């Protein structure tokens, strides 16, 4: 349906919002009209926050996470275990793991996974810098925490090959039944892996 | 859950997006990271579209619809019937009615409906300008096309009182069963209205 917009400026703003993932033209219209109702200062704050971020964003030169400084808060924290590096796809994964408060090592943000369909090859990702980081020494364990998709597995395997021969322990996060999930409703692959990778029962969980 | 953001700039941009209606912090994060992946020019185009709209938007001085000019394209169109005015809540309703291609009259955009709960009174809406428009003459019919909610009905009734005594026909858009809907699944109020407001059957629909 070719919507008739009463204003070219409005159409342009709606078009820009509709470029965002998961935002259709109807939602875009709702968001633009909402912003239009706000004060000019609120609209400018909204626009400026995004352009300022784009202009001033830095990526940590060690783990490539988004950061306000040259080295991010996690990498520069002396209380964290610099000998363990967790390989993740993006910054959202870092935040998800940080929220568990169960991990005290550092990260390495690849910036994606190998996906020939999307034109993403190993050279588009921070893989060489990871190999370099391990080669420099000090890293005793690399934990793979990529998603268990075809692309994630391919990337795991590619990095595994690159790191083999170096004196470093490689591990992968556990796959199994989610805490609280019922056995009978779990898919076969997950249930199978969860039996194969069973852990010692020590009386506490 | 108090998310830890690795960057204050990122947190600010996510916060601004999360102020939008229907956008939570997780979606906001996804949108911000998507924009961050784009070229600087794309991010600036996004931000500028919104600020330009806010700074340069005009409202038609006749119908109060959003417009790029003093008088909007609908009001200035000589082919449209200036004697019929359809009262709607907002510009999205104008676009919805325009898309039907069934209406050839003009509009009057109230900018909302009377809603004491939200602190919206008659003086916050373009009601006085509507009364003035009718008083000036030339308008033969005013069609109410507000939503059939408590607030919409209140607004209809308020305007009805304001316009009573003036030489103008007042009508309200038909409520009934949606085209294609099954009778048995229609709610009682709608079905009841649709029987009361039955129209003459002329052999064509």
């Amino acid at each position: 349906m070719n919507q008739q917009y009463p204003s070219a400026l409005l159409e342009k703003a709606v078009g820009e919002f509709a470029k965002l993932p998961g935002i259709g033209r109807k939602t875009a219209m709702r968001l633009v009209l909402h912003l239009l109702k706000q004060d000019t200062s609120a609209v400018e704050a909204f626009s400026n926050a995004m352009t300022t971020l784009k202009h001033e964003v830095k990526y940590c030169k060690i783990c490539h996470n988004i950061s306000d400084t040259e080295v991010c808060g996690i990498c520069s924290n002396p209380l964290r275990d610099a000998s363990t590096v967790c390989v993740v796809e993006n910054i959202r994964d870092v935040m998800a793991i940080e929220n568990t408060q169960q991990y005290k090592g550092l990260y390495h943000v690849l910036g994606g996974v190998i996906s020939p369909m999307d034109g993403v090859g190993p050279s588009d990702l921070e893989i060489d810098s990871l190999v370099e980081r391990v080669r420099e020494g000090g890293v005793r364990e690399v934990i793979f925490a990529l998603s268990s998709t075809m692309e994630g597995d391919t990337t795991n395997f590619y990095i595994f090959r690159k790191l083999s021969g170096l004196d470093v322990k490689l591990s992968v996060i556990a796959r199994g039944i989610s805490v609280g999930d019922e056995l009978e409703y779990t898919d076969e692959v997950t249930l199978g892996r969860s039996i194969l990778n069973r852990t010692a029962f020590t009386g506490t969980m």
Side-chain angles (χ1 to χ4, degrees), chain A:
Chain A
M1 189 167 58
N2 191 17
Q3 284 262 7
Q4 287 284 325
Y5 289 86
S7 150
L9 292 170
L10 177 70
E11 184 167 10
K12 183 152 174 50
V14 170
E16 286 292 337
F17 266 91
K19 282 183 193 166
L20 297 174
I23 307 274
R25 291 192 84 83
K26 283 216 166 179
T27 307
M29 183 77 176
R30 200 159 49 85
L31 298 180
V32 168
L33 290 182
H34 171 86
L35 276 171
L36 202 53
K37 270 194 195 167
Q38 313 301 309
D39 295 338
T40 305
S41 61
V43 175
E44 281 175 350
F46 174 84
S47 295
N48 289 343
M50 198 57 231
T51 39
T52 309
L53 173 64
K54 180 65 187 176
H55 284 295
E56 298 183 12
V57 71
K58 292 190 187 71
Y59 293 90
C60 171
K61 62 180 184 180
I62 298 175
C63 72
H64 307 283
N65 193 1
I66 289 176
S67 169
D68 290 336
T69 46
E70 284 278 293
V71 175
C72 76
I74 295 174
C75 288
S76 60
N77 185 346
L79 297 176
R80 300 196 66 129
D81 171 17
S83 71
T84 311
V85 171
C86 181
V87 177
V88 292
E89 190 177 331
N90 59 42
I91 167 200
R92 276 179 289 168
D93 299 334
V94 173
M95 290 173 66
I97 296 176
E98 282 299 285
N99 276 328
T100 68
Q101 304 195 343
Q102 298 292 324
Y103 181 66
K104 292 297 163 211
L106 306 185
Y107 294 92
H108 195 89
V109 180
L110 294 181
V113 283
I114 297 171
S115 173
M117 292 281 285
D118 302 318
V120 181
S123 58
D124 300 314
L125 306 174
E126 293 292 346
I127 293 180
D128 288 343
S129 58
L130 172 64
V131 176
E132 193 51 41
R133 202 173 158 186
V134 173
R135 192 167 278 149
E136 277 172 2
V139 178
R140 277 202 300 270
E141 179 174 3
V142 171
I143 304 170
F144 293 108
L146 303 180
S147 38
S148 59
T149 56
M150 177 86 89
E151 290 79 13
D153 290 345
T154 305
T155 313
N156 276 342
F157 190 67
Y158 182 89
I159 300 177
F160 171 79
R161 292 263 305 255
K162 284 274 185 180
L163 290 179
S164 66
L166 294 174
D167 180 26
V168 65
K169 183 181 160 193
L170 302 177
S171 57
V172 65
I173 55 168
R175 305 284 176 189
I177 301 176
S178 293
V179 176
D181 265 13
E182 304 268 1
L183 256 181
E184 55 179 322
Y185 299 121
T186 308
D187 68 284
E188 291 152 24
V189 179
T190 304
L191 188 53
R193 281 222 213 174
S194 129
I195 289 172
L196 286 175
N197 302 330
R198 62 195 177 275
T199 52
F201 183 66
T202 56
T204 59
M205 290 308 259

